[in-house]
Amino acid sequence: MTIKDTLKKQINQIVAGQYGLLGFDFKVDYPPQADLGDYSTNVAMLLGQKLKKNTLDVASELAKQLANKKMWGKVEAVKPGFINFYLNQKWAAGQVAEIGKENKNYGGSKEGRGKTVVIDYSAPNIAKKMHVGHLRSTVIGAALYNIHKFLGYKVIGDNHLGDWGTQFGKLICEYKKIYGEKIKKNITVEEMEKLYLDWHKEAKDKPGMEEEARKELKKLQDKEKFNYQLWQLFYKVSLAEFKKVYGLLGVKFEAWHGESFYNKMLESVVADALTKKVATKSEGAIIIDLTKYSLPPLMIQKSDGAYLYGTSDLATIQYREKHYRPVKNIYVVANQQALHFEQLFKASELLGYRGQMEMTHVKFGLILGKSGKKMSTRDGEVADLIEVIREGIEKAKARIQEKNKGLKPAELETIAGAIALGAIKFNDLSQNRLTDIVFDWDKMLNFESGSAPYLQYTYVRIQSIFKKTRKRKSTKSTKINYGLLVEPTELKLIKNILKFPEMVEAAANEYKPNIVALYLNELAADFHSFYEQTPVLAAEDAVRQARLELIRAVAQVMKTGLRLLGIETPEKM
Ligand code: ARG
């Protein structure tokens, strides 16, 4: 349980005992300044209002009772009725031992036990290259995946591939024109992309092509042999390409249910919507009217009978509810699709498909090039994802070699990979996801505060301190006296480590991995200022032991936190 949660429980117990109120709702926050304590609550103000009592009196009464809990040093009632809590330093220092015992599990919890969460992320489109734009969904989705797992949830990562729709009619048309009715096994994703672009160029002055594409699409939908085989080829080749990227990024999925997976269910979704009178016919098409909710209608079938993106998304919700019964259904998709998800969430509710699911659209902004514009190959920037990653690895190699010439080639390769991928991920995950972010290698790969290499380096630095302790003969005392950790730099570090579980929880609740990212950055900064001011190896034996345990805990939190963000921590760099 986090300290915040423990405090809430302590308060609730007293409020129940003293005032007979069960499950009373209030807030526990971090005060805006350190001299106002480590935690603070508004409970007395709310109680005062409810019970028509003087709030400051209520605050003092509660403070008195909470002060005798051993985790609190000072508990203070202040005007107009806040209660501020200061951690007991000795208790806090003693927690370092507990953190060490919890080891890799520290920061996680069991709050999600028995509950399932579906995370819909990455979801690139077949027959197109994975562009840097797909990076954000993949990276943010993977972080939310790790974080929920760490909180004990069963997580289903679902890659809702864009593998069906009108574009395939166009692709097939153009394909036949170029390659005839033969299956070109070695076709590349670039070639598929080109087919699509060429079709659009030509179609501008040839109106007949639309009709032709529709016919090919129809044949595909009817699973006519050649068209269906061709689609399977596009699918297979694209997927193999995506999997290369996922391999590099270290991303996994439990399900690969793309749009085509739901084809069989679309007819019944539409029929169901009509029966339930949620959908109506409108000029031949079938729509779900959402005027009442100030939203445009969601079209689920066109007048030519074709189904749409929204139709398969409705089927997806039905499927997920039936097969996984999730408590949360999370979509990690760009800002541009905000309206679609608003419509979808409303429509699925009207249809009764949602069950207990909480649905969230986790939106994000664009990735911009250094120029501040959308990244594009035309501006000489590498925008193809796999190329971008390779470019980053080369750049990282050069940076590492400047700093450390003694690495073996294989080591260099591994470390460069960890740094380049870490840099890409951290650049994304440390920023507010709603805003556009800039992709600038120089900034991402510097070893200064606010970059992945800085955090990885913090971990490596601590490991190198431990290496030195192994080299010197230590008179290892068996019992560590954590009470010796009393310096302000030490306490700051301890208090920060103690916040880690709260950060993980907040990142999940708010769908913001950047809470963890920024926290780690601050922890690293606290460590460096501690290390500058406080001798570790040179300290007297008992103090050294205690300090070593403290920095061991820092390294452990750093490693776990980075792992949640999908970032590796090399042992040296
Ligand atoms: N394939 C879509 C795109 O690239 C994203 C799909 C998101 N997931 C969903 N269930 N609609 O824009």
Side-chain angles (χ1 to χ4, degrees):
M1 205 187 300
T2 65
I3 294 180
K4 256 191 188 177
D5 290 339
T6 307
L7 175 54
K8 276 192 189 154
K9 208 168 143 188
Q10 291 174 349
I11 295 173
N12 266 133
Q13 263 167 6
I14 294 174
V15 171
Q18 187 103 356
Y19 304 102
L21 295 169
L22 292 173
F24 190 68
D25 201 27
F26 55 89
K27 278 210 301 215
V28 169
D29 284 315
Y30 302 121
Q33 294 150 243
D35 61 357
L36 295 175
D38 301 306
Y39 295 87
S40 123
T41 177
N42 65 349
V43 64
M45 303 217 274
L46 299 176
L47 272 177
Q49 251 169 31
K50 187 170 170 91
L51 303 170
K52 312 230 168 347
K53 289 193 170 177
N54 177 303
T55 43
L56 198 56
D57 288 347
V58 176
S60 308
E61 179 56 36
L62 289 177
K64 211 163 68 197
Q65 301 201 35
L66 286 157
N68 52 34
K69 306 271 179 201
K70 62 178 186 298
M71 65 195 276
W72 305 117
K74 187 166 75 173
V75 183
E76 216 173 35
V78 296
K79 274 184 200 166
F82 285 109
I83 311 174
N84 294 337
F85 298 82
Y86 300 74
L87 284 169
N88 177 311
Q89 304 192 343
K90 214 169 173 147
W91 178 86
Q95 289 303 298
V96 176
E98 301 306 314
I99 292 168
K101 271 187 229 149
E102 278 192 56
N103 205 341
K104 279 190 193 125
N105 297 326
Y106 176 64
S109 77
K110 297 193 171 82
E111 72 161 65
R113 196 155 47 177
K115 297 182 198 147
T116 301
V117 168
V118 175
I119 308 185
D120 180 317
Y121 68 110
S122 197
N125 300 319
I126 296 294
K128 280 198 187 157
K129 295 204 101 176
M130 234 169 134
H131 185 268
V132 282
H134 289 109
L135 190 62
R136 296 208 75 182
S137 174
T138 312
V139 167
I140 297 170
L144 292 175
Y145 180 104
N146 297 333
I147 289 170
H148 280 88
K149 262 212 156 144
F150 200 41
L151 294 176
Y153 289 92
K154 175 170 181 203
V155 190
I156 308 285
D158 188 2
N159 197 341
H160 192 84
L161 299 164
D163 60 1
W164 202 252
T166 47
Q167 69 271 30
F168 289 98
K170 301 171 183 175
L171 261 169
I172 294 173
C173 263
E174 193 68 20
Y175 179 96
K176 287 187 177 168
K177 201 174 293 169
I178 310 287
Y179 306 108
E181 300 250 349
K182 266 205 315 263
I183 293 286
K184 177 176 159 55
K185 278 220 174 101
N186 61 351
I187 191 166
T188 63
V189 180
E190 281 98 353
E191 284 166 330
M192 297 178 209
E193 227 171 26
K194 188 165 179 314
L195 289 176
Y196 184 73
L197 293 175
D198 287 348
W199 184 91
H200 272 278
K201 263 188 236 153
E202 289 168 39
K204 265 198 202 129
D205 356 271
K206 285 194 207 152
M209 281 174 65
E210 286 281 353
E211 188 47 38
E212 208 185 313
R214 234 193 310 274
K215 277 189 197 145
E216 294 297 352
L217 182 66
K218 180 87 178 58
K219 284 194 233 161
L220 172 62
Q221 285 164 341
D222 296 341
K223 297 211 172 159
E224 202 190 80
K225 196 166 170 232
F226 182 76
N227 283 16
Y228 194 67
Q229 268 182 349
L230 201 52
W231 174 82
Q232 285 178 315
L233 174 73
F234 293 158
Y235 185 95
K236 204 177 109 204
V237 172
S238 306
L239 206 63
E241 201 62 27
F242 299 157
K243 285 193 171 165
K244 279 187 210 159
V245 177
Y246 296 139
L248 283 168
L249 290 172
V251 171
K252 281 196 317 244
F253 300 92
E254 274 65 31
W256 298 78
H257 297 159
E259 290 173 42
S260 70
F261 178 81
Y262 301 97
N263 281 346
K264 310 177 276 310
M265 300 168 60
L266 303 183
E267 199 183 319
S268 78
V269 165
V270 173
D272 187 44
L274 286 169
T275 316
K276 289 182 175 153
K277 300 210 179 337
V278 171
T280 46
K281 288 211 169 106
S282 162
E283 297 168 28
I286 296 174
I287 61 159
I288 297 180
D289 181 52
L290 299 170
T291 325
K292 252 202 234 157
Y293 312 97
S294 312
L295 291 167
L298 180 72
M299 193 188 285
I300 55 177
Q301 188 165 21
K302 286 198 211 161
S303 52
D304 66 3
Y307 301 109
L308 297 95
Y309 183 50
T311 328
S312 56
D313 256 335
L314 282 173
T316 306
I317 293 172
Q318 217 181 13
Y319 180 90
R320 287 181 184 160
E321 170 58 15
K322 186 165 167 214
H323 290 265
Y324 309 124
R325 299 216 167 261
V327 291
K328 300 193 203 182
N329 182 19
I330 304 166
Y331 296 86
V332 189
V333 186
N335 284 335
Q336 287 100 314
Q337 293 191 32
L339 182 60
H340 168 74
F341 285 106
E342 275 183 60
Q343 293 171 293
L344 180 68
F345 293 174
K346 205 22 132 190
S348 63
E349 187 185 308
L350 298 175
L351 286 166
Y353 290 173
R354 291 178 57 160
Q356 300 298 310
M357 260 190 257
E358 180 189 305
M359 307 241 249
T360 311
H361 176 200
V362 175
K363 319 179 201 14
F364 53 82
L366 301 171
I367 295 194
L368 305 174
K370 236 171 153 176
S371 59
K373 284 188 297 196
K374 215 173 156 175
M375 261 177 122
S376 87
T377 335
R378 255 167 290 151
D379 294 341
E381 280 163 328
V382 188
D384 171 13
L385 200 43
I386 210 149
E387 290 308 319
V388 168
I389 295 173
R390 288 191 183 129
E391 185 189 11
I393 293 175
E394 286 315 307
K395 284 184 194 281
K397 264 190 212 163
R399 292 302 304 264
I400 304 162
Q401 274 174 315
E402 279 167 29
K403 291 183 184 283
N404 189 347
K405 295 216 164 35
L407 292 169
K408 294 186 198 93
E411 265 176 352
L412 182 63
E413 199 67 39
T414 318
I415 298 171
I419 290 182
L421 289 157
I424 293 176
K425 292 178 182 181
F426 195 79
N427 181 52
D428 197 325
L429 296 173
S430 59
Q431 307 196 53
N432 175 351
R433 62 177 160 74
L434 294 171
T435 56
D436 295 345
I437 62 170
V438 173
F439 204 90
D440 176 357
W441 279 120
D442 293 332
K443 232 180 97 199
M444 282 152 62
L445 281 181
N446 77 19
F447 283 53
E448 251 118 82
S449 170
S451 70
Y454 172 70
L455 302 182
Q456 291 166 319
Y457 173 68
T458 303
Y459 176 84
V460 168
R461 176 116 195 237
I462 297 174
Q463 299 316 304
S464 70
I465 299 170
F466 278 102
K467 268 181 214 146
K468 282 186 200 140
T469 63
R470 265 172 245 133
K471 277 180 197 152
R472 56 159 70 201
K473 274 212 182 101
S474 78
T475 47
K476 202 167 184 189
S477 53
T478 41
K479 190 124 181 66
I480 288 156
N481 182 358
Y482 293 94
L484 295 171
L485 300 172
V486 290
E487 296 295 325
T489 50
E490 292 165 336
L491 291 170
K492 191 155 182 240
L493 211 45
I494 293 171
K495 285 180 181 178
N496 215 348
I497 298 172
L498 285 173
K499 274 189 188 170
F500 181 50
E502 288 160 10
M503 297 297 145
V504 178
E505 204 176 273
N509 290 342
E510 298 174 40
Y511 305 101
K512 284 184 182 158
N514 73 329
I515 293 177
V516 171
L518 297 179
Y519 162 79
L520 293 178
N521 201 52
E522 206 178 297
L523 181 64
D526 285 351
F527 165 76
H528 289 291
S529 67
F530 157 84
Y531 199 55
E532 265 160 39
Q533 296 169 51
T534 327
V536 175
L537 294 176
E540 169 271 309
D541 208 44
V543 176
R544 187 180 68 224
Q545 296 292 347
R547 288 186 180 156
L548 281 171
E549 288 316 302
L550 174 58
I551 65 171
R552 195 195 301 282
V554 173
Q556 177 193 310
V557 168
M558 195 58 72
K559 187 168 181 144
T560 306
L562 286 171
R563 181 184 68 73
L564 294 178
L565 302 179
I567 300 173
E568 283 176 62
T569 33
E571 294 297 316
K572 55 174 154 175
M573 58 193 270

